[in-house]
Amino acid sequence: MKYFNRAAETMPRSELHALQSERLKALVKRVYENVQHYRAKMDAVKLKPSDIKSIDDLHKLPYTTKADLRANYPFGLFAVPKRDIVRIHASSGTTGKLTVVGYTQNDIRDWAEGCARALVMAGMDENSVVHVSYGYGLFTGGLGAHYGAELLGATAVPVSAGNTPRQLMLLKDFGADCICCTPSYAIYLAEELAKAGISKSELNLKAGLFGAEPWSEAMRKQIEAGFGIKAYDIYGLSEICGPGVGAECVTQSGTHIAEDMYYPEIVDTDTLEPLGYNKKGEIVFTTLTKEGIPLIRYRTRDITSLDDGVCACGRTHVRMARIEGRSDDMLIIRGVNVFPSQIETVLLSAGDAIGPHYRIVVDRADNLDTIEIQVELTEKAFGDTVKSIEKIKARLAGDMQSHLSVSAKITIMEPNSIPRSEGKAVRIIDNRKY
Ligand code: DLL
């Protein structure tokens, strides 16, 4: 069995516990001394860094949420001086502002290692060519996979997202053994491959690392058949680092969480009590080694469970089940995180032609996610000319694109045509099947 970092990945759990304890103690001291937010939160519950004696004391520490990142926007949770930050990434916030993270040189190295471990789990080595179709930019997918491939000594092909015919041409011409993209895009690509009359035997692909959105065993089968490869799950979130927080090994039986760097807990979404192994709840991470923006007990909102059973691959790190859903209303559209509150913010700033009633319809056409925003005109605007309504529609479409980074279809509806609810408004209709 090959490992990227055998010592870390196969460390006996008692040693891992000791390492996590040491790292947690150092982390708590670091954030208490350098981040006002953590100091205030710990002071509020009369907790001193010296009260944290091992990883078993983690539950004493308060949770961190996306709201904390928003309240400290953009750099308030950074634990090092700005000159030590070498990279910024960001993901969608719940309103107009993004969730911002910063990396030191060591953070980039650790993050790359998580992705390099994932590539090795998928059978890659320094001879491999890794075709990266995740987006490059503030999104962590592209650069995460890219740095992982380079750290491994493989060849990274930074194709980024989009331009499907070019993707197919480069997959064929450069002979990539591994592709990294969202699972839904992989299914789309496989179909386009068939349509273009390219046989899968003309490609050199052996495996793919798919993540950034939920997917299923049925989708895995479709991707594996479409390309004639092994399809592996890779998990992560920008707040923790990006892709590579966890990844599947050859047994394809859950994602091994890189527990020497990211300590996972499963907690009850209502009571926030830790639940232990094999129980379903929200996964919470503490970044044990991160310097730029360390996070303590960060609530991901992802629902899953952890299995500490022995894995045939020899890795000792726990395995996380597929993400089953979220405990908030975040949607993932073509790998891009979208909060309904962001859509509402755009609609509210659209002027008085648009009423307060709207509906978000998410679907999948040709294996690609679609999002339609149905909005009602106000009575006042209803008599307006078709031309002026088209203008509102075009402006809304442009604003949605720039705020959400995905293109949404805007459907303008007559006043009172969206069904009213007697209780909580049903604003999101997700027709996708995984
Ligand atoms: O999606 C990082 C990433 C890039 C992971 C490429 C894997 C591959 P964010 O944009 O911050 O980061 O979105 C994080 O996406 O909380 C989950 O809800 C969802 N997610 C990520 N990976 C998976 C996965 C990247 N394998 C959010 N399965 C997370 C299900 C996933 N959901």
Side-chain angles (χ1 to χ4, degrees), residues 103-114:
Y103 303 69
T104 64
Q105 212 60 273
N106 289 334
D107 293 338
I108 297 280
R109 168 68 181 65
D110 282 353
W111 176 24
E113 169 151 350

Side-chain angles (χ1 to χ4, degrees), residues 33 56 67 71-72 149 168 192 199 232 241 251 259 264 286 315 321 324-325 329 332 359 361 369 376 388 392 408:
E33 284 166 5
D56 302 328
N72 290 282
L168 295 178
E192 292 301 300
S199 136
Y232 295 99
C241 68
T251 68
E259 281 186 284
T286 298
R315 289 178 183 80
E324 273 191 27
D329 55 4
I332 306 185
R359 225 162 42 165
V361 184
D369 296 337
E376 280 183 11
S388 63
I392 296 171

Side-chain angles (χ1 to χ4, degrees), residues 190-427:
E191 290 201 344
E192 292 301 300
L193 183 81
K195 276 193 210 155
I198 306 173
S199 136
K200 48 192 176 195
S201 64
E202 290 176 68
L203 305 185
N204 191 37
L205 275 183
K206 304 204 172 45
L209 296 186
F210 306 108
E213 63 183 12
W215 57 308
S216 60
E217 287 307 307
M219 289 172 76
R220 187 193 320 258
K221 287 207 179 75
Q222 247 180 305
I223 298 171
E224 293 194 333
F227 282 113
I229 61 171
K230 282 274 188 197
Y232 295 99
D233 201 355
I234 179 165
Y235 170 79
L237 58 160
S238 39
E239 292 91 321
I240 300 306
C241 68
V245 172
E248 266 184 334
C249 67
V250 69
T251 68
Q252 295 181 311
S253 58
T255 60
H256 285 285
I257 299 296
E259 281 186 284
D260 52 324
M261 299 191 275
Y262 316 112
Y263 188 84
E265 295 172 272
I266 297 288
V267 305
D268 185 294
T269 44
D270 297 325
T271 64
L272 297 184
E273 283 303 315
L275 292 176
Y277 296 122
N278 300 311
K279 298 240 171 60
K280 204 189 301 172
E282 180 178 333
I283 191 156
V284 167
F285 286 103
T286 298
T287 62
L288 296 174
T289 52
K290 229 161 78 161
E291 298 172 340
I293 176 166
L295 292 178
I296 291 186
R297 305 190 86 199
Y298 183 71
R299 291 190 56 192
T300 63
R301 300 291 191 161
D302 289 325
I303 305 297
T304 181
S305 59
L306 292 174
D307 179 355
D308 67 339
V310 172
C311 184
C313 77
R315 289 178 183 80
T316 50
H317 296 179
V318 292
R319 278 168 293 161
M320 181 186 82
R322 279 193 188 281
I323 303 295
E324 273 191 27
R326 293 192 46 94
S327 67
D328 63 4
D329 55 4
M330 186 181 93
L331 297 162
I332 306 185
I333 313 291
R334 301 188 183 193
V336 179
N337 302 347
V338 174
F339 288 94
S341 50
Q342 286 175 282
I343 294 176
E344 191 166 292
T345 307
V346 173
L347 293 177
L348 288 175
S349 62
D352 57 6
I354 295 297
H357 298 286
Y358 66 93
R359 225 162 42 165
I360 301 166
V361 184
V362 183
D363 217 323
R364 198 164 267 168
D366 292 334
N367 294 306
L368 291 179
D369 296 337
T370 59
I371 179 164
E372 178 189 359
I373 300 163
Q374 304 175 341
V375 276
E376 280 183 11
L377 282 178
T378 52
E379 293 284 357
K380 185 171 150 277
F382 188 48
D384 287 357
T385 60
V386 173
K387 210 167 149 192
S388 63
I389 291 171
E390 281 304 314
K391 225 165 121 186
I392 296 171
K393 200 168 145 179
R395 204 186 62 221
L396 275 179
D399 287 354
M400 289 294 171
Q401 173 74 49
S402 65
H403 283 81
L404 313 181
S405 304
V406 287
S407 51
K409 178 179 175 209
I410 307 289
T411 305
I412 304 279
M413 318 266 290
E414 286 182 21
N416 294 312
S417 56
I418 291 179
R420 306 296 194 253
S421 156
E422 290 184 357
K424 237 165 145 27
V426 181
R427 298 205 190 279

Side-chain angles (χ1 to χ4, degrees), residues 3-47:
Y3 307 97
F4 180 77
N5 183 341
R6 178 186 291 269
E9 292 173 79
T10 65
M11 184 176 285
R13 289 198 69 78
S14 57
E15 274 178 45
L16 187 61
H17 183 273
L19 179 73
Q20 290 166 332
S21 297
E22 281 318 303
R23 289 185 168 171
L24 179 68
K25 283 193 283 181
L27 165 77
V28 172
K29 185 165 180 292
R30 208 162 63 237
V31 297
Y32 189 83
E33 284 166 5
N34 296 306
V35 187
Q36 159 65 23
H37 168 83
Y38 285 114
R39 192 163 48 248
K41 267 190 147 179
M42 285 175 63
D43 286 346
V45 292
K46 299 199 166 28
L47 202 60

Side-chain angles (χ1 to χ4, degrees), residues 62-196:
Y63 289 103
T64 308
T65 63
K66 215 174 179 66
D68 293 322
L69 283 148
R70 189 174 58 226
N72 290 282
Y73 176 88
F75 305 141
L77 291 186
F78 286 12
V80 296
K82 275 272 293 302
R83 66 167 181 277
D84 294 336
I85 298 289
V86 298
R87 178 97 65 79
I88 300 279
H89 279 282
S91 63
S92 309
T94 44
T95 55
K97 296 288 186 199
L98 297 171
T99 300
V100 181
V101 288
Y103 303 69
T104 64
Q105 212 60 273
N106 289 334
D107 293 338
I108 297 280
R109 168 68 181 65
D110 282 353
W111 176 24
E113 169 151 350
C115 292
R117 290 183 192 178
L119 285 164
V120 174
M121 284 192 237
M124 297 302 122
D125 60 25
E126 61 278 12
N127 299 305
S128 305
V129 176
V130 182
H131 180 106
V132 184
S133 308
Y134 287 120
Y136 280 64
L138 288 175
F139 175 56
T140 52
L143 284 160
H146 182 105
Y147 273 62
E150 286 190 354
L151 184 66
L152 177 60
T155 308
V157 187
V159 191
S160 196
N163 199 341
T164 303
R166 195 179 62 165
Q167 302 267 356
L168 295 178
M169 178 180 80
L170 296 182
L171 274 173
K172 190 163 159 238
D173 294 351
F174 294 175
D177 342 58
C178 181
I179 179 166
C180 304
C181 64
T182 58
S184 53
Y185 189 61
I187 291 175
Y188 176 75
L189 259 185
E191 290 201 344
E192 292 301 300
L193 183 81
K195 276 193 210 155

